[in-house]
Amino acid sequence: MAASASPYKPRKKKKGTTPPRTTNNEIALPYSKAASQSPAFPLVAFFWPARKNTSQWVILPLVLMIVGLYRWCAGLWGYSGFQTPPLHGDYEAQRHWMEITTHLPISEWYFYDLQYWGLDYPPLTAYHSWLLGQIGTLINPSWFALSSSRGIEESLLKVYMRATVMVSEYLTFIPAAIILNRKLGQLRGVSAWEGSIALVAILMQPATILIDHAHFQYNTVMLGFVLASMSSILSDRYMWACVFFVAALSFKQMALYYAPAMFAYLLGVCLLPNLHIGRFMGIAIVTLLSFAMMFAPLIFGSLYDTYRGITPSLDLTSGEINPFFSLFSPNITPDSLAYPIFLQLAQSIHRIFPFARGLFEDKVANFWCSIHTFHKLHTYPIAPLKQISLLATIIAILPACMTISLFPRKELLPWALASSAWGFFLCSFQVHEKSILLPLLPMTIMLGGDGGLGTEMRAWIGWSNMLGVWTLFPLLKRDELRVPYYVISLLWAYLMGLPPTSLELYIGKRSSKSGMLILTKLMHLIFYAVMVAWHLVEAFVETPKGKPDLWVVINVMLGAAGFGICYLWCTWQLILRSGVMDEYHGFREEMMKPGSHEAAFTTLPFSPKSFPLPIGGKGNKANEGKDPKGGKQKKKP
């Protein structure tokens, strides 16, 4: 008996004869000699053969292998503090934290030998160090032997430490970047092919590779949690967004740069266009529980150590010990159950937020270090400097927070996070050079949106990234990382079609049709020219006598000016894209019409009707043309 034919019919693949729709990204340009298209910049050229319906399951593994190879090659060079005793650098700090978390009771983690490399990051970093230290001890116990392993520089240890950065990034940052880039593309109608190009540009960002894989840090773990939080928001999963963002804060306190904008957005989706009490309560409860879970091992571990008779030794005269201990010690005795809890919370917070260290430690391209060049700020007491810094930071982040809370739309979130992070970087307390990664991340993520790879957006995002990595050069130079700096930064500039490798973005027929302002082109080109000239002068000209840091100071000044422009651009784009300016101009036009003051009042930018839905959808038009009582409005003659 013949077998019956199966009803299943395989889906026919469409013949790829033309490139996918390119939205506003301008990555496929008309070819002059034939009725065809050509890639707009080199990164597109690498993906050009894959534009005809190539499966993403083929492209994505290749992308991950290539970006991983570049990361590993960057790690073949030196690292922070290599052969520079006695304190060495960030590499030794991370290794030392693995050492103390592996061998000491948890109650002593934030108290042990604070003059060397005392733990000064939130608890999730400590747990991460404990896990890596336990694994490393199984391989070679001498790598993390207590006290005797200080300053160890074995080759195999370097391989292990580099591998921990790579694995940590591929477990957090890479998946989060892939998911967020895909969701952002779906939100704005970007094709998968264009999304793959944007993903490579994001993962090849030079500053992130140089800081984490050359200098040595674990910043991508924190940044990965931030991206996961953003991705959850795009999926309307606000509770998960809170969990991931608390994880970012619990790994590195620098995630606070994003906190005001994130809080403002979540508050906006709870209040507009309708009040959502349940959502607000859920966000508040999940946030508190997430923080409680992050600190729970530290608290319960300290209680258990107290039960075993293990307590950290306190020297209240030490500046590294929390000064509040001496104030509360008469009220909370060591015999009290609350004593170890208060001890750990107070000391960990004191270590995480080191206000006693001063306004800044090293030369960083922000507002305060620039002022310090002309007027020495270290002559003032710390207390008023902290207050002025707080006030300046609030003023800087206020426009972004107000805009995103009044217009809580998904596509505006990266702009709000970028504006908030720039405000913190320029004006906040205790800023480090490596903090430049925070404002650059949301800007670079916008490459995956509609128009992100277009001429103007690519010019601004590329310029800010090149300026950011340029300000990191003095830090990388101290670590003998000049070669990775030049190779990785110039490679990214070449792939993105940016100066100094290409001027097509600013000069030529294509640039004239891009719509970019001449003033913008001139400003960017001047900055690029100064950066190239600075490198030539720094390499071949000695500084004048008595001014050994002259080239670094120039780097700081120019970088601070450029970052200020980046802050203004991100803030203006946020306000412009929110639609508040359109409604304001509409209100002004209505006010100018005679006899229409009452109608104009109903179109105020902050009236309930002007608020868009938080998920970016269309408003309800069922009630248009009706008055509040349910009847139709009468048209005025």
Side-chain angles (χ1 to χ4, degrees), residues 86-88 92 95-96 99-100 112-117 142-153:
L87 291 178
H88 301 277
E92 170 63 14
R95 190 214 60 81
H96 179 63
E99 168 193 338
I100 62 176
Y112 181 77
D113 199 0
L114 302 179
Q115 298 297 330
Y116 184 60
W117 281 113
S142 65
W143 289 348
F144 305 106
L146 188 63
S147 300
S148 62
S149 62
R150 289 190 178 183
I152 185 172
E153 294 181 340

Side-chain angles (χ1 to χ4, degrees), residues 43-77:
L43 184 57
V44 181
F46 281 101
F47 280 86
W48 199 250
R51 70 192 186 280
K52 298 181 179 181
N53 298 322
T54 303
S55 173
Q56 294 301 303
W57 293 107
V58 176
I59 297 177
L60 185 58
L62 294 176
V63 168
L64 296 183
M65 286 188 288
I66 292 172
V67 299
L69 178 63
Y70 278 101
R71 281 159 165 75
W72 191 257
C73 290
L76 296 177
W77 294 79

Side-chain angles (χ1 to χ4, degrees), residues 540-562:
F540 299 107
V541 180
E542 294 185 0
T543 57
K545 292 183 179 180
K547 296 181 179 180
D549 297 328
L550 178 61
W551 307 144
V552 180
V553 170
I554 294 175
N555 182 289
V556 167
M557 298 293 294
L558 185 65

Side-chain angles (χ1 to χ4, degrees), residues 71 165-166 168-170 172-174 208-209 212-213 217-227 251-252 437:
R71 281 159 165 75
V165 178
M166 182 81 73
S168 298
E169 181 175 3
Y170 269 72
T172 53
F173 182 81
I174 300 292
T208 303
I209 296 177
D212 273 25
H213 297 275
Q217 285 273 306
Y218 292 97
N219 293 296
T220 48
V221 177
M222 177 266 294
L223 296 176
F225 285 132
V226 173
L227 295 182
F251 194 86
K252 284 200 173 186
L437 299 180

Side-chain angles (χ1 to χ4, degrees), residues 168-214:
S168 298
E169 181 175 3
Y170 269 72
L171 291 177
T172 53
F173 182 81
I174 300 292
I178 294 171
I179 295 172
L180 177 59
N181 182 66
R182 184 167 299 174
K183 288 187 178 297
L184 192 61
Q186 292 172 353
L187 179 68
R188 306 302 296 169
V190 178
S191 68
W193 178 62
E194 294 173 305
S196 299
I197 298 171
L199 179 64
V200 173
I202 294 167
L203 297 183
M204 289 293 291
Q205 183 194 33
T208 303
I209 296 177
L210 290 170
I211 289 298
D212 273 25
H213 297 275

Side-chain angles (χ1 to χ4, degrees), residues 83 86 115 168 249 258 281 363 383 423 425 469 508 530:
Q83 296 181 348
Q115 298 297 330
S168 298
L249 288 169
Y258 303 126
M281 294 300 297
K363 292 180 174 60
F425 182 85
V469 73
V530 172

